[in-house]
Amino acid sequence: MPRGSLPPISRDRASMRPIVFRCRQMLQEGRAKVLEQHQRGTPGMQVSTLLADLYDDVVLDVWNEAIREHTTDERLTGLSLVAHGGFGRRDLAPYSDADLMLLSTRSAESLANKIAGNLTRDLGDAGIQPGLAIRIPDEACRLSWHDPVVFSSLAESRLLAGSLQLYTKYFQSFRHGAMRRRKQLIHDVVEARVQERRKWGETIYLLRPNVKRSRGALRDIQLIRWIGFARYGETDLERLVKLGALPEEDYRQLRLAYGFLLRLRNEIHFREKKSQDVLDRGMQMEIAEAWGYPGTEGVLPVEQFMQDYFGHTRNVRYASAYFVDDARSRPLIHRAVERLLSRKIDERIRMGPTHIWVPQDDLPGFASNLSDVLRLMRLANQHRRRISHQTWQAIRNAMQDRDPTPPDKKTIAEFLSLLSSPGRLAPLLRRLHELRVIEQLIPEFKRMQGLLQFNAYHKYTVDAHSIRAVEAATDLQFDNHGMGRRYRRLDDKRLLHLALLIHDIGKGYEEDHCIVGARIAKKTAERLMLDANSAETLEWLVLKHLAVNVVAFRHDLSDPQIVLDFAAEVGSIRRLELLVVHTYADLVAVGPGVATDWKVNLIEDLYKRTRRYFDSGNLPGSPDDPEMEAMRVKVQGELESRGAPPASFELLQALPLSLLDRCEPEHLADEIELARRSRQDREGTLCTCRYDSQLKAMRYTVIRREAERTIGTFARATGALSTSGLTIMRAQIETVGDLAWDYFWVIDPSQPDQQTTSPRSEQICQRVCHLLDSPDEPLPPHRRTWTTQGEREPDSVNVLPTKVVFDNDTVDRYTILSFFAYDEVGLLYRIAASLAENQVVLHFAKIDTHLDQVADVFYVSEPDGAKITDPQRRRQIRESLLGITA
């Protein structure tokens, strides 16, 4: 069936009551006509009105049938059929429910119950899902005063059929009662909306927004109507303008946004053929193409479309936020106390216990002067005060009318001073961004506005992510752990905050965004007149802002060469601390749940190793590292205390440094004893499980005696663990004489809080041993129910290519093979199996899963231990790996 077409009537006429068949046909034909209107570009409000008219016709037809047997019943005069909610507003989408209330007098309740049953049955059979309640007028009002959802829905009521007198009396009482209770009702509906936003999105810059419930969406326009009803008895926006409650410019922007959002919601419903309000990434691409967005150099059509969406929702957010602030303005006594206790902190600025403001007489000239506005924001940030609503509204209006001009020295100085203090920096930067002020100071920031990051790893647009990164850093001022202490130690937090604000400014270009961003950072430093040292550091931070991620998440930190190269790239403790805090804040700002304990601990591990090298000159994990020798002595002591035989001490001396760097002494002694018994008794595979407190993951140790290195052992062990439902995060493959000694760090999605071994982990160990000792037995299939991912996106949004990269320069002993692809169930096992088939020996693996993508890194060699250097050999391996995702 073509996209947007409507499903045929599924039941034949003979099996339906005539009213149902007639109404189903009316609904189907009506939706088809409305679809034609929509596809011809009819404005969203008109299409929604046509749908409301169609619903009216169907509901009235069913109503007339339902009351046909009761036309002579006097109780019928005590009934009114009322549309409310979206149906009452007449802004329906194609597959919206119909919110109905059957208003009844006490004497007509029994008749109301009969009619309501017929209405519900026939409307549902006809294809409209009704939400129908029977209410006595007093009961409807009483429920509204205690339930903001009921109040907001009934505020949008209109009479469909029945007694006009009953409805008029009820609605007048409802309106007057609402206005008498306006303070409590406004508080309740605003709080309900806040709770809804927390669920569907606190920022307008979501990559998968809900066009009805996310911030700046249709619900915020409706919030203005509900508050308008409580304060003035009016929901119509035009009437609110005439009453002076809504600024004309806000009204103009709201009308444009309302039309756009209604059209968009209609489009989604028609495409999905059901009630659906989430605008996912696949749908974004389809709608951008259908609506004729052309795209430009470096900007995809879908990005243009979403920038329009974000532009409209930004205006809605503004208008609704200030309407809410007006409605919730503090009582006169509070404002009087605030002013009484205030003091003058600047020539034209006063500050009270909670707010900061500009006196009314000074506002006109102050609000249009950018350096004055930035000074006010600096003081608000420094003293942790909120800018008063009246002052900020004047600034907002003045900034909208102000022609952008290059900033002068005073303006630049105020901006840099604002950036220097954490305070409430992020919310103030959001305000500056929404006023288009940041782009006057940093012109390239304009391109970031509403720019998509087209992967599921990021939840927010580039600009929203960047400001959230600043927020993640400033939140560290209250953190008492390592990252918080490093943040507070920074002398020049201004530089960190500025780097976070612009670190992704190079996105949206064909060239690597770090390189583009570094060039822009250099220009930004010149424009903001930073000193030479600060300018160089800013450029370096933006250029290298992914360096910690690459090293910590994709390399073996027990390799001293990796730490040495990273330390050389960083160059100083100051830069190390700047870069590590920047990396942490960037990771937190990506989205909920991305900065996992696993990843934060990898960052900490890299920081500590590099810091130790800077402090002492000793490379962690190197042969001359005193800690490695100390570790060997501790393990030897453990073995001696157990009375271990000489074979155990021989194994200890044969252990590579990388194994000494992985365990607590007593744990490594346990594994040495297991390995010694395996070799002595010629047992099969041994597998143990233990919680690794340092890396916050379960560590499975697999020891297997092999006459010669069996290349496929890692692949089979990987398959055994992954088909058990475990997510493998990291693996280390070592050979100790005739023993394969492999470590796997895993997360168990079925037991996320597991920190000790359990019967399940013991069963998995037995399973691994069995499958490795029975090489001819096929592995069980992978089960998709074990995936930790959220909703899967269609393949059309997977725009990044699968890549295989060989690196023979980073480490001396091995080739580093990196595999970048979209995640699939069982992918790691297929990679390992492909490498085994190509006779590639694995020594170390690190799995970096970014929700939708993986960047798997393997330290590999030829069977004889040499690096993989032959071009034809690399081509063969690359083609084999690319083939597993085809």
Side-chain angles (χ1 to χ4, degrees):
M1 187 180 297
R3 198 57 139 153
S5 61
L6 296 167
I9 295 174
S10 59
R11 290 191 285 167
D12 59 34
R13 183 171 184 172
S15 64
M16 296 185 203
R17 299 175 63 240
I19 181 63
V20 172
F21 180 83
R22 184 170 69 246
C23 288
R24 281 175 67 88
Q25 192 168 33
M26 185 192 310
L27 190 64
Q28 184 176 11
E29 291 173 355
R31 278 182 177 147
K33 290 177 182 177
V34 174
L35 174 60
E36 290 177 8
Q37 292 282 332
H38 170 76
Q39 290 175 335
R40 284 202 291 264
T42 301
M45 284 184 280
Q46 292 184 30
V47 169
S48 292
T49 300
L50 290 172
L51 286 164
D53 289 342
L54 174 63
Y55 271 43
D56 281 359
D57 290 342
V58 172
V59 171
L60 289 174
D61 204 1
V62 172
W63 164 263
N64 289 329
E65 176 67 20
I67 66 170
R68 186 166 55 86
E69 300 175 0
H70 309 284
T71 53
T72 60
D73 192 326
E74 292 183 357
R75 293 176 298 171
L76 196 59
T77 59
L79 298 180
S80 299
L81 185 63
V82 179
H84 59 91
F87 192 16
R89 278 190 307 273
R90 298 175 62 80
D91 66 357
L92 290 177
Y95 291 90
S96 292
D97 296 343
D99 292 325
L100 294 166
M101 177 174 67
L102 190 53
L103 203 62
S104 172
T105 60
R106 289 283 181 196
S107 60
E109 277 189 284
S110 57
L111 178 61
N113 283 315
K114 291 181 182 178
I115 294 175
N118 292 336
L119 282 172
T120 301
R121 179 196 63 204
D122 290 347
L123 284 173
D125 289 345
I128 292 177
Q129 187 61 43
L132 179 61
I134 304 171
R135 295 282 182 256
I136 305 299
D138 289 345
E139 179 190 13
C141 293
R142 193 165 55 251
L143 285 170
S144 296
W145 312 150
H146 296 95
D147 188 332
V149 176
V150 175
F151 165 73
S152 57
S153 188
L154 294 186
E156 311 267 20
S157 294
R158 61 188 175 91
L159 179 66
L160 287 176
S163 171
L164 175 61
Q165 182 180 6
L166 175 64
Y167 172 77
T168 301
K169 183 179 179 181
Y170 147 75
F171 198 69
Q172 286 177 349
S173 174
F174 180 67
R175 177 189 282 119
H176 294 149
M179 293 173 71
R180 286 197 305 272
R181 296 169 176 82
R182 60 183 175 273
K183 182 179 177 181
Q184 185 61 46
L185 288 173
I186 290 171
H187 173 274
D188 291 348
V189 295
V190 170
E191 182 58 29
R193 177 67 185 124
V194 167
Q195 295 301 322
E196 186 177 49
R197 283 204 312 260
R198 286 175 182 164
K199 178 179 179 181
W200 293 101
E202 281 283 13
T203 175
I204 63 172
Y205 297 109
L206 293 168
L207 298 184
R208 298 180 72 250
N210 184 302
V211 300
K212 182 178 179 181
R213 294 181 171 87
S214 294
R215 190 157 203 176
L218 286 166
R219 193 69 95 202
D220 278 342
I221 300 176
Q222 294 159 15
L223 180 63
I224 294 174
R225 297 170 63 98
W226 303 333
I227 293 174
F229 187 81
R231 289 191 79 186
Y232 307 102
E234 290 287 349
T235 58
D236 183 75
L237 298 184
E238 189 171 358
R239 286 284 301 149
L240 292 174
V241 173
K242 292 177 180 177
L243 290 168
L246 185 66
E248 288 192 14
E249 177 59 20
D250 283 358
Y251 172 65
R252 187 184 71 83
Q253 297 285 2
L254 285 169
R255 277 189 62 83
L256 291 173
Y258 193 39
F260 178 90
L261 291 170
L262 284 178
R263 183 187 179 207
L264 178 56
R265 189 177 182 222
N266 292 336
E267 180 80 27
I268 297 171
H269 275 227
F270 276 129
R271 287 177 175 273
E272 293 294 310
K273 306 181 191 68
K274 63 181 180 181
S275 180
Q276 168 63 280
D277 297 323
V278 174
L279 182 60
D280 64 33
R281 298 185 302 159
M283 186 73 73
Q284 293 167 21
M285 296 178 74
E286 292 177 9
I287 294 175
E289 180 181 357
W291 287 11
Y293 283 85
T296 59
E297 184 178 356
V299 181
L300 297 170
V302 65
E303 292 172 327
Q304 284 186 321
F305 161 64
M306 289 305 291
Q307 284 171 347
D308 273 0
Y309 173 85
F310 295 134
H312 286 298
T313 53
R314 182 173 58 251
N315 291 332
V316 170
R317 178 201 170 281
Y318 252 132
S320 64
Y322 286 104
F323 196 82
V324 168
D325 281 349
D326 272 339
R328 300 179 73 183
S329 58
R330 292 170 299 158
L332 186 60
I333 184 65
H334 288 185
R335 283 177 281 168
V337 170
E338 183 85 26
R339 293 185 182 279
L340 182 65
L341 298 178
S342 69
R343 59 190 174 92
K344 193 174 185 179
I345 61 167
D346 188 272
E347 185 180 349
R348 293 184 290 173
I349 300 174
R350 295 193 70 85
M351 184 174 74
T354 60
H355 284 70
I356 190 169
W357 67 90
V358 177
Q360 185 66 38
D361 292 344
D362 295 323
L363 258 180
F366 187 100
S368 59
N369 186 298
L370 186 53
S371 65
D372 284 344
V373 171
L374 287 169
R375 184 169 75 259
L376 173 69
M377 298 184 83
R378 170 177 61 82
L379 292 169
N381 192 40
Q382 178 183 336
H383 296 284
R384 297 181 180 277
R385 297 296 194 272
R386 297 181 65 85
I387 298 173
S388 76
H389 172 55
Q390 184 181 40
T391 295
W392 186 252
Q393 197 163 35
I395 290 171
R396 178 193 171 212
N397 293 335
M399 286 291 123
Q400 286 178 334
D401 296 336
R402 178 181 179 274
D403 292 328
T405 56
D408 56 21
K409 289 184 179 181
K410 189 176 179 182
T411 299
I412 290 171
E414 291 290 357
F415 179 62
L416 292 176
S417 184
L418 170 66
L419 288 175
S420 67
S421 177
R424 301 184 65 254
L425 179 59
L428 293 169
L429 287 176
R430 288 191 185 96
R431 287 189 164 191
L432 286 178
H433 179 38
E434 291 174 347
L435 289 179
R436 309 292 179 92
V437 168
I438 294 180
E439 65 194 49
Q440 295 177 40
L441 295 148
I442 308 171
E444 296 85 356
F445 204 84
K446 182 177 182 180
R447 184 185 178 90
M448 294 169 63
Q449 188 159 9
L451 184 64
L452 301 180
Q453 307 194 66
F454 229 64
N455 55 58
Y457 182 44
H458 280 273
K459 185 179 179 182
Y460 309 107
T461 57
V462 177
D463 50 345
H465 162 72
S466 300
I467 295 175
R468 280 181 172 268
V470 175
E471 188 168 39
T474 58
D475 285 347
L476 288 171
Q477 63 189 303
F478 307 113
D479 182 82
N480 293 320
H481 298 92
M483 208 64 73
R485 291 194 294 271
R486 281 171 220 133
Y487 174 76
R488 289 191 294 275
R489 276 201 302 264
L490 295 174
D491 293 331
D492 190 0
K493 295 181 178 60
R494 172 193 64 172
L495 203 58
L496 173 68
H497 298 154
L498 179 58
L500 286 166
L501 186 64
I502 66 170
H503 74 280
D504 277 346
I505 204 166
K507 286 192 172 178
Y509 300 88
E510 291 186 6
E511 193 177 359
D512 183 283
H513 82 279
C514 295
I515 295 173
V516 177
R519 287 201 299 268
I520 296 173
K522 185 176 182 179
K523 293 179 185 176
T524 300
E526 293 171 358
R527 199 178 295 117
L528 298 181
M529 297 180 285
L530 298 182
D531 62 84
N533 183 54
S534 295
E536 182 185 358
T537 303
L538 178 68
E539 182 181 355
W540 179 84
L541 265 177
V542 174
L543 178 65
K544 299 295 184 181
H545 75 268
L546 295 179
V548 170
N549 289 343
V550 171
V551 177
F553 299 164
R554 300 180 187 174
H555 289 297
D556 181 6
L557 300 186
S558 67
D559 186 338
Q561 185 179 343
I562 293 295
V563 177
L564 180 63
D565 290 346
F566 178 71
E569 190 171 37
V570 172
S572 70
I573 291 175
R574 176 176 180 265
R575 283 193 169 185
L576 173 65
E577 299 211 321
L578 273 171
L579 187 59
V580 164
V581 175
H582 188 293
T583 300
Y584 172 81
D586 186 13
L587 193 65
V588 170
V590 166
V594 175
T596 59
D597 287 346
W598 168 263
K599 292 188 175 182
V600 172
N601 273 282
L602 290 176
I603 294 172
E604 288 281 350
D605 192 17
L606 176 60
Y607 169 79
K608 290 174 182 176
R609 289 170 183 271
T610 310
R611 179 65 190 259
R612 185 150 67 90
Y613 171 67
F614 280 136
D615 287 338
S616 67
N618 296 321
L619 270 174
S622 64
D624 59 353
D625 179 9
E627 289 199 8
M628 289 296 97
E629 184 56 34
M631 180 66 169
R632 198 183 296 272
V633 170
K634 290 178 182 178
V635 177
Q636 182 171 327
E638 277 287 332
L639 292 173
E640 289 173 348
S641 68
R642 301 177 187 191
S648 296
F649 295 96
E650 291 172 6
L651 266 176
L652 172 61
Q653 293 304 315
L655 289 184
L657 294 175
S658 54
L659 283 183
L660 285 172
D661 195 33
R662 285 288 175 252
C663 293
E664 294 296 320
E666 63 272 20
H667 299 164
L668 189 52
D670 290 343
E671 292 176 5
I672 288 173
E673 284 293 87
L674 280 174
R676 191 259 307 164
R677 285 198 295 271
S678 172
R679 177 184 281 173
Q680 176 181 303
D681 301 337
R682 297 186 177 276
E683 294 181 10
T685 302
L686 296 174
C687 180
T688 64
C689 177
R690 194 182 299 272
Y691 181 72
D692 189 324
S693 58
Q694 181 180 351
L695 294 177
K696 301 290 192 295
M698 299 301 292
R699 184 182 68 239
Y700 282 83
T701 304
V702 179
I703 300 174
R704 177 177 169 79
R705 184 175 179 274
E706 298 176 343
E708 58 183 41
R709 182 68 174 174
T710 303
I711 291 179
T713 297
F714 174 78
R716 193 148 181 88
T718 299
L721 291 169
S722 60
T723 57
S724 297
L726 304 179
T727 301
I728 301 172
M729 308 299 292
R730 178 180 184 178
Q732 181 175 327
I733 303 95
E734 295 288 355
T735 302
V736 183
D738 59 351
L739 295 173
W741 199 312
D742 299 346
Y743 286 153
F744 297 87
W745 286 264
V746 308
I747 303 295
D748 189 345
S750 70
Q751 299 181 19
D753 298 325
Q754 179 182 334
Q755 294 190 12
T756 58
T757 54
S758 65
R760 171 166 161 76
S761 57
E762 293 173 3
Q763 291 168 4
I764 291 173
C765 284
Q766 293 172 7
R767 190 170 188 265
V768 169
C769 293
H770 172 72
L771 289 171
L772 281 174
D773 291 335
S774 309
D776 296 329
E777 182 173 328
L779 289 173
H782 289 83
R783 290 173 52 189
R784 184 168 294 276
T785 54
W786 279 323
T787 181
T788 58
Q789 305 226 141
E791 295 182 27
R792 294 272 176 172
E793 298 280 10
D795 291 340
S796 61
V797 305
N798 293 345
V799 296
L800 299 178
T802 300
K803 290 193 303 181
V804 177
V805 178
F806 292 87
D807 171 9
N808 282 311
D809 299 323
T810 299
V811 295
D812 293 334
R813 293 177 54 197
Y814 307 116
T815 295
I816 298 179
L817 186 155
S818 300
F819 184 89
F820 302 88
Y822 283 92
D823 198 11
E824 300 173 9
V825 173
L827 179 61
L828 178 60
Y829 167 68
R830 297 203 301 275
I831 295 171
S834 174
L835 293 174
E837 288 171 7
N838 284 280
Q839 296 295 296
V840 175
V841 179
L842 272 70
H843 302 274
F844 176 82
K846 218 164 192 179
I847 317 304
D848 183 19
T849 304
H850 285 179
L851 299 185
D852 66 335
Q853 290 176 273
V854 292
D856 294 347
V857 177
F858 305 93
Y859 284 39
V860 299
S861 70
E862 296 285 15
D864 62 0
K867 290 185 177 183
I868 302 173
T869 57
D870 180 64
Q872 185 173 351
R873 171 82 163 135
R874 291 204 301 263
R875 188 181 311 112
Q876 172 191 345
I877 296 168
R878 179 182 287 109
E879 289 175 356
S880 176
L881 287 170
L882 294 175
I884 67 176
T885 62

